[in-house]
Amino acid sequence: MVIMPIFSLPIEMGPYPQAVETLLMAKKRRMGSHFFYNLTTLISYLLAAFISMAAIVMTKSTLSKAIRSFKKEYQIQINIKALIRGFCLVIIWTPVAAMSLSALESVKGSWITYFVPALFLSLLLLVIDIIIGFWEIPLTYANNKKVIKTENPIQTKKYLYANLFELIFIFIIFIISSNFFAHLVNVSLIHALCVMSIIITIVWAIRIREIKSIAYKIKYTFLIDISNKDDQFSLFLSLGLFLYSFEHSIFLELFNNIISIIFPYLGVGLIFIIGFIPILLCQIGVFPILSVILLAGTIDPESIKLKAEWFALLITAGGGTAFMFSQLSATNQFIAQLLEVSSLKVAKSNKKFALVLWFVSCLYVIFLQHFFS
């Protein structure tokens, strides 16, 4: 949570956000609200794969000029749904977000086994969101004169597209190199990701000629940002001590025995219940990642006849659902503050899709359990 955000620095200081904005603003046609909703969701999704929650701010700032050409109520409708959905869908598979990795580490699952099914589920939900967007977002058109203005007319499309492809290429290299390093040195994937994020960030900083600025930001991160996370450190440490005590007591075995007994009666219904637990906990203020770690540390996947990776996917998807479902979640409150609306409005606007995410994810895990276990 401290080291991985360093990986976002070359993106913030490089030409990538400007490339997206310039390509968008250069479009010489009338673009409706559906187009901007899908585009905002997609950009939020892609950036969140690199920089987690920072993607919300970057996406809004990148598209703010273009979306501003709509009436205010349409601007809010587009942002209030697209920003959080793009972010929450990518949590399911990206190693930048701590949730999926924490779940996998807790159940001792394999990232290689987990990654492809998780990515497929995430993309499936993204397609569903695009389809739902045509129904949820009222169709209106932007003022074309405002949309086509650009501050970078000199840049060619070829150069701009090259920047975007470079971003995607670096992320692929990051994933492959981290897995290779983890197997080569025989360390956990979390440690491998931290090491490779630092190495790639240094090489990337040299590539975009921002080594001094990024070095200053890294220094700021370690001196200032870490000290601001002392409350989170205490929270995770306390949870870790609780789980350690729980795992070495008779209660864990008793708890899983009870689940084993009720599983034949509930069957696949138990999967829907477990997937919904992070949502319920989020309603009383439990941060989603904590509820996911708690579930991963207390429920033995074998007690419900689930492969470890599919169980991690189930509770991670539940955590992603909790992010958008509850007005108490930090993500909802952050977006509410950014858009100057209430967190209740953000949660209400996304509850229907959150339920779709939960239901589809549970069905998907049942499918994996039946055909790939």
Side-chain angles (χ1 to χ4, degrees):
M1 293 179 70
V2 174
I3 295 177
M4 287 300 293
I6 293 173
F7 190 63
S8 69
L9 297 177
I11 302 175
E12 295 176 16
M13 298 182 180
Y16 313 104
Q18 293 85 348
V20 173
E21 182 181 359
T22 304
L23 284 170
L24 175 66
M25 303 292 274
K27 295 287 183 181
K28 296 182 179 179
R29 61 184 177 85
R30 298 177 74 207
M31 292 179 288
S33 51
H34 292 158
F35 172 85
F36 274 99
Y37 171 76
N38 293 334
L39 185 66
T40 306
T41 305
L42 184 60
I43 293 175
S44 175
Y45 182 91
L46 292 174
L47 289 179
F50 291 87
I51 57 178
S52 192
M53 195 178 289
I56 294 172
V57 177
M58 287 189 64
T59 303
K60 185 180 181 298
S61 60
T62 298
L63 299 178
S64 59
K65 291 181 182 178
I67 295 180
R68 207 177 294 149
S69 54
F70 289 97
K71 292 181 179 179
K72 189 169 183 179
E73 60 265 29
Y74 294 117
Q75 295 178 38
I76 293 175
Q77 277 293 308
I78 292 171
N79 282 319
I80 209 171
K81 296 176 180 178
L83 290 176
I84 192 170
R85 292 182 189 182
F87 168 75
C88 290
L89 291 180
V90 85
I91 284 175
I92 295 172
W93 64 268
T94 180
V96 176
M99 188 177 292
S100 57
L101 286 178
S102 300
L104 273 173
E105 289 285 325
S106 298
V107 299
K108 298 178 175 57
S110 166
W111 173 257
I112 296 175
T113 305
Y114 176 91
F115 177 72
V116 174
L119 177 61
F120 184 83
L121 172 61
S122 178
L123 293 174
L124 173 64
L125 290 166
L126 184 64
V127 171
I128 292 174
D129 175 55
I130 290 172
I131 295 171
I132 291 176
F134 283 96
W135 169 57
E136 285 188 320
I137 303 297
L139 180 60
T140 186
Y141 288 94
N143 185 328
N144 195 42
K145 292 181 180 179
K146 291 183 180 179
V147 174
I148 63 174
K149 289 181 181 178
T150 175
E151 296 178 1
N152 303 290
I154 301 174
Q155 293 179 315
T156 63
K157 280 189 177 182
K158 185 177 179 180
Y159 171 76
L160 297 172
Y161 281 121
N163 285 328
L164 298 181
F165 286 128
E166 179 180 298
L167 197 64
I168 297 171
F169 175 75
I170 290 173
F171 185 67
I172 293 172
I173 293 296
F174 174 60
I175 294 290
I176 295 173
S177 61
S178 297
N179 278 283
F180 178 75
F181 182 79
H183 285 282
L184 182 67
V185 188
N186 194 25
V187 296
S188 69
L189 184 62
I190 290 178
H191 292 118
L193 289 167
C194 290
V195 171
M196 293 311 301
S197 66
I198 294 173
I199 294 173
I200 292 177
T201 297
I202 293 171
V203 176
W204 202 353
I206 297 171
R207 159 74 180 84
I208 63 175
R209 300 176 183 177
E210 291 284 355
I211 187 71
K212 288 185 179 179
S213 300
I214 290 177
Y216 175 80
K217 283 275 191 178
I218 292 175
K219 180 181 177 182
Y220 174 85
T221 297
F222 278 97
L223 293 180
I224 306 297
D225 200 35
I226 290 179
S227 63
N228 291 335
K229 286 185 168 59
D230 55 348
D231 55 339
Q232 295 183 36
F233 172 79
S234 302
L235 189 62
F236 277 90
L237 181 61
S238 301
L239 181 65
L241 290 172
F242 169 76
L243 289 176
Y244 180 82
S245 302
F246 195 72
E247 287 172 1
H248 291 77
S249 69
I250 62 172
F251 296 106
L252 181 62
E253 185 178 354
L254 178 63
F255 180 75
N256 282 288
N257 285 338
I258 293 172
I259 291 179
S260 300
I261 293 170
I262 65 174
F263 177 69
Y265 298 98
L266 294 177
V268 295
L270 188 60
I271 291 177
F272 286 92
I273 294 172
I274 292 173
F276 202 74
I277 289 175
I279 303 171
L280 294 177
L281 292 176
C282 196
Q283 297 298 309
I284 59 174
V286 179
F287 197 62
I289 189 172
L290 296 181
S291 63
V292 167
I293 295 173
L294 185 63
L295 283 171
T298 54
I299 298 178
D300 181 6
E302 291 184 4
S303 64
I304 54 174
K305 305 296 187 293
L306 260 185
K307 196 173 180 178
E309 290 79 10
W310 310 155
F311 178 73
L313 180 57
L314 174 65
I315 59 178
T316 301
T321 306
F323 268 116
M324 69 174 73
F325 195 89
S326 173
Q327 68 183 90
L328 297 176
S329 74
T331 312
N332 267 352
Q333 293 182 13
F334 178 66
I335 290 178
Q337 184 179 9
L338 192 66
L339 300 177
E340 298 179 347
V341 297
S342 69
S343 58
L344 179 61
K345 183 173 183 178
V346 178
K348 274 187 173 182
S349 299
N350 291 290
K351 273 188 177 178
K352 289 181 180 178
F353 179 74
L355 290 173
V356 171
L357 193 160
W358 161 74
F359 186 74
V360 172
S361 299
C362 293
L363 286 179
Y364 184 74
V365 168
I366 293 170
F367 169 81
L368 291 175
Q369 178 190 20
H370 186 73
F371 291 102
F372 296 98
S373 293

